[in-house]
Amino acid sequence: MMTCLWCTSSRVTATLQTVYWELPDGFRAIEITDTPSVSCAECGMIYQEEDIVENIEDQLFLIDTAHLNKTISYDELMQKPRRLKRNYFK
């Protein structure tokens, strides 16, 4: 059973949302569409669970972000080829 991380309500649903993410170099941000998210009917919060945040941050760190478009879907982002197999700086 899923509960809201903010208010602990069980009135949450899995949803896909658009999020905005700063690239690791800090020079620009991108729009990531269809990002797995949680929406709470009780408190109104919409957020991404920690594993999704970690996936996005790792992927942005491990791919060549210089050629990313301003908008990309979550699935497209996760399919980009990595320069390294994993984040060795964790």
Side-chain angles (χ1 to χ4, degrees):
M1 173 113 136
M2 204 162 56
T3 60
C4 178
L5 294 177
W6 297 92
C7 72
T8 66
S9 170
S10 61
R11 295 181 51 208
V12 295
T13 56
T15 183
L16 299 176
Q17 298 290 321
T18 297
V19 298
Y20 300 89
W21 224 272
E22 183 178 354
L23 297 181
D25 63 12
F27 288 113
R28 67 185 180 111
I30 60 170
E31 178 182 63
I32 307 170
T33 61
D34 300 323
T35 305
S37 303
V38 176
S39 177
C40 178
E42 189 75 28
C43 70
M45 289 299 295
I46 299 172
Y47 61 92
Q48 293 70 49
E49 291 183 312
E50 190 61 36
D51 62 326
I52 298 297
V53 171
E54 194 170 303
N55 287 344
I56 292 171
E57 291 185 352
D58 281 350
Q59 186 71 348
L60 289 174
F61 185 73
L62 297 172
I63 65 172
D64 180 5
T65 60
H67 305 299
L68 279 180
N69 292 329
K70 291 179 180 180
T71 301
I72 189 169
S73 75
Y74 177 81
D75 288 338
E76 289 173 317
L77 177 63
M78 292 301 123
Q79 292 173 10
K80 291 282 185 190
R82 294 179 170 191
R83 292 190 220 177
L84 298 170
K85 291 182 182 183
R86 61 186 279 278
N87 185 351
Y88 295 97
F89 300 102
K90 282 183 159 181

